[in-house]
Amino acid sequence: MRISVPKLASIALPLLALATTPGQAAQAPRGLVFDRVFGAAGEPGFLHYRVLYAANGAVHHLDVWRDHDRRIKRVTDQALATYASRKAGEVGYTLKVLDLKRRISTTIDRTNLYRIGSFTDWYDLGHGLRHPKGAYRLTLETTGPAGMPRIARPCRWYALAEGNRTTHICWDDRAKLPLLIAPASGPPVWRVTAIDQGAIPAATFVADDRGFIKNDANRDIEAD
């Protein structure tokens, strides 16, 4: 079964779009540096967390499992499962996407995701944040916005300003994860509800697509 580029582009990877137009070079910020504040260095080897996030007027449920810097599994609304894998230290990765309702399994790598306009890096998949691609200003806040839910774990608030938009992020430096993300006004758009740093069985990261329709998106894109 051949899958078209428009259909591939519609594969949803729930990430908070904190970046400006892809391809722009990030200018030197007047303040803190994104990669230093929200870096992955020292993150737990294993991590499983659950998230409620808002998108398109609805609240969605997301589970994420991380195995060091080699494997990531994400399940959204028990309807879409994504499995990402790479060799340690590599920039590229291979992604297998299972549409659990239509029972379709699609394989695509990072290079071809970029070709269809999905600028998703490994960090994005594991942390729910995108690196800023344009000018930004990152500052430390003494408190978060008013009306935020109570947080069970310690985290530190930062304000990320990009153009006319400001996003508030409460960062857990132990789990290397944003626990809350909120716009300048209104309720949070990302809320971590549970974290587990225990070892994760290897079978968790194996995509069981037996009986699924198989799509090799790499072959289809490269053939166009």
Side-chain angles (χ1 to χ4, degrees), residues 8 60 94 108 118 160 178 184:
L8 273 174
H60 302 274
T94 298
I108 188 169
S118 179
L160 177 62

Side-chain angles (χ1 to χ4, degrees), residues 8 94 107-110 112-113 115 215-223:
L8 273 174
T94 298
T107 303
I108 188 169
D109 61 31
R110 176 180 178 267
N112 285 320
L113 279 171
R115 288 179 179 176
N215 289 318
D216 184 345
N218 293 317
R219 178 194 60 203
D220 294 341
I221 293 171
E222 292 163 3

Side-chain angles (χ1 to χ4, degrees), residues 100-119:
L100 302 177
K101 292 185 177 180
R102 296 190 297 164
R103 297 185 67 77
I104 298 174
S105 173
T106 301
T107 303
I108 188 169
D109 61 31
R110 176 180 178 267
T111 299
N112 285 320
L113 279 171
Y114 270 50
R115 288 179 179 176
I116 63 171
S118 179
F119 299 94

Side-chain angles (χ1 to χ4, degrees), residues 177-201:
L177 192 68
L179 301 187
L180 279 173
I181 301 176
S185 61
V189 294
W190 169 280
R191 179 186 177 190
V192 172
T193 59
I195 292 179
D196 182 0
Q197 295 180 208
I200 301 173

Side-chain angles (χ1 to χ4, degrees), residues 144-204:
M148 290 295 102
R150 186 174 181 179
I151 304 172
R153 292 169 60 98
C155 64
R156 180 170 291 182
W157 282 101
Y158 295 88
L160 177 62
E162 301 175 86
N164 296 324
R165 180 179 61 184
T166 297
T167 305
H168 302 277
I169 303 166
C170 201
W171 179 257
D172 180 343
D173 200 48
R174 291 184 301 164
K176 304 295 181 181
L177 192 68
L179 301 187
L180 279 173
I181 301 176
S185 61
V189 294
W190 169 280
R191 179 186 177 190
V192 172
T193 59
I195 292 179
D196 182 0
Q197 295 180 208
I200 301 173
T204 302

